[in-house]
Amino acid sequence: AVSPAVSAPKPKTKLSYKEKRELEALELELEELNSRKAEVEKILSGEVSASSEELVEASKSYQILKEELDLKEFRWLELAELA
């Protein structure tokens, strides 16, 4: 008996509807996150006067924003390559 050939899955060539919506949402989220990051950078750079507590909070916020941006930018790049 001859076994049927196993075909490799076809590489994805375009975005599904759900992925298109995700890409659009990511673009808006990235814009918002970059705006918030710029505000925090102003506090950290001394452009905006802040108390020591505000500086500590801004520093924590900056790390969180940077990590979130990195993740979302990576996903955006993945989706953009397929678009």
Side-chain angles (χ1 to χ4, degrees):
V2 176
S3 62
V6 177
S7 62
K10 294 180 182 177
K12 212 168 179 189
T13 57
K14 68 178 194 171
L15 295 175
S16 68
Y17 175 77
K18 185 178 176 182
E19 289 170 329
K20 286 179 188 176
R21 301 282 300 171
E22 182 183 359
L23 183 62
E24 291 169 3
L26 278 171
E27 289 172 350
L28 295 174
E29 289 174 34
L30 287 170
E31 190 174 308
E32 172 65 23
L33 288 170
N34 278 313
S35 175
R36 287 174 40 203
K37 182 181 164 205
E39 290 173 19
V40 171
E41 286 173 337
K42 285 181 183 178
I43 294 170
L44 294 174
S45 70
E47 283 183 51
V48 177
S49 62
S51 69
S52 59
E53 291 174 5
E54 290 172 322
L55 286 172
V56 170
E57 191 60 37
S59 180
K60 290 177 186 175
S61 294
Y62 185 80
Q63 285 295 49
I64 293 168
L65 285 169
K66 185 147 176 39
E67 289 171 13
E68 195 172 345
L69 268 167
D70 288 345
L71 289 173
K72 291 186 183 288
E73 286 173 342
F74 182 76
R75 180 62 179 153
W76 182 88
L77 286 170
E78 287 179 330
L79 293 172
E81 286 178 2
L82 298 173

